[in-house]
Amino acid sequence: MSSNKSFTVIIPARLASTRLPNKPLADIGGKPMIVRTAERAALSGAAQVIVATDHAEILAVCAQHGIAARLTRADHPSGTDRIAEVAAALGLAADAVVVNVQGDEPMIEPELIAATAAQITGEVPMATAAHAIDSAVDAFNPNVVKVVLNQAGRALYFSRATIPWHRDGFAQSREDLPAAYVPLRHIGLYAYSNGFLQTYPTLAVSPLEQIEALEQLRVLWHGYPIAVHIAPAAPAVGVDTLEDLERVRRFFSAL
């Protein structure tokens, strides 16, 4: 996997998880989930892959498997703040590209990581990804976050609502998507210039982000552009539940 842009992947990993206790350490085919995720991320062509964790147990597991890891403060309000601490400690240049890969994505596509990193330019300090929604069920599901883009492929808005709203099509029916209407589902993968990553924790929380419970709206609220890579298909599902974990285990056992 190669990209014309050098980038660093930092994977935030907290031991505490409300739905799945000790999730980063869950065994998947003989390796902990955090290790599987880091190994997938390494296939993206990243210059380095580092786990950012608040727990010595995750640090030790990474060391056992040859995965670089750094211990962070335990009181970070978000994974973004956690990776910002590590990026600062690494002494990365302001224009260095950092990709935030969630620690519960052991099946993440390496190509998706590289393509999102490649969106960062001098004018665009943050990037993410999306894919086309093909079902009305997903379009109307508030747990499926939608994004609307401008002509340059930058985010206009993210919402749990169905955007853009197809006025005429939905007046006829909400059982199926109208012809030629392609809403986009946001994929929770982020790239940043390190300069912006260090700025992000200093930005005031925005009303929009509080209303929608979507952290990325803070960036738009403060006037920063977000580039959006359109993936050709929906990515593999991350691990949020025990059912997700069993599905991932089956995938790895079949390899």
Side-chain angles (χ1 to χ4, degrees):
M1 187 68 46
S2 65
S3 169
N4 58 5
K5 189 185 292 286
S6 175
F7 60 93
T8 293
V9 170
I10 304 181
I11 306 172
R14 288 174 62 247
L15 195 63
S17 170
T18 47
R19 284 190 283 189
L20 213 55
N22 297 341
K23 183 163 72 166
L25 303 178
D27 181 83
I28 298 174
K31 292 181 181 178
M33 183 180 336
I34 190 63
V35 171
R36 291 286 188 192
T37 302
E39 288 176 344
R40 287 288 283 182
L43 297 175
S44 67
Q48 53 186 337
V49 176
I50 300 158
V51 171
T53 183
D54 62 351
H55 206 280
E57 199 172 344
I58 293 176
L59 203 66
V61 158
C62 288
Q64 287 165 16
H65 290 86
I67 303 294
R70 295 238 178 173
L71 202 59
T72 68
R73 290 175 12 218
D75 61 347
H76 285 302
S78 75
T80 313
D81 297 86
R82 193 176 306 286
I83 72 166
E85 179 190 337
V86 170
L90 291 172
L92 297 176
D95 64 350
V97 177
V98 178
V99 183
N100 179 354
V101 173
Q102 299 304 312
D104 56 5
E105 298 276 357
M107 292 166 61
I108 190 166
E109 287 87 353
E111 297 86 353
L112 184 61
I113 297 172
T116 303
Q119 302 291 315
I120 300 296
T121 66
E123 293 77 48
V124 182
M126 181 170 168
T128 189
H131 70 87
I133 292 174
D134 59 8
S135 87
V137 171
D138 283 347
F140 289 104
N141 182 351
N143 294 316
V144 172
V145 177
K146 275 69 70 173
V147 60
V148 171
L149 312 184
N150 68 9
Q151 63 178 350
R154 297 176 186 177
L156 287 170
Y157 192 64
F158 296 86
S159 183
R160 298 180 181 280
T162 309
I163 58 171
W165 182 262
H166 200 300
R167 189 195 66 170
D168 296 342
F170 293 146
Q172 300 295 319
S173 168
R174 296 186 192 179
E175 297 300 312
D176 299 295
L177 295 182
Y181 169 72
V182 185
L184 296 172
R185 178 181 190 155
H186 176 233
I187 298 169
L189 175 73
Y190 298 100
Y192 316 84
S193 69
N194 184 42
F196 180 70
L197 180 59
Q198 300 308 319
T199 298
Y200 176 86
T202 71
L203 298 176
V205 173
S206 76
L208 291 177
E209 125 188 50
Q210 292 179 310
I211 291 167
E212 295 255 21
L214 297 174
E215 198 180 291
Q216 64 271 31
L217 288 173
R218 184 184 314 180
V219 178
L220 298 182
W221 172 265
H222 287 281
Y224 295 93
I226 301 176
V228 182
H229 165 70
I230 304 299
V237 177
V239 178
D240 284 323
T241 66
L242 196 55
E243 291 73 26
D244 294 337
L245 180 59
E246 293 306 331
R247 183 163 65 249
V248 171
R249 282 171 169 163
R250 286 195 296 272
F251 171 81
F252 278 96
S253 68
L255 291 179

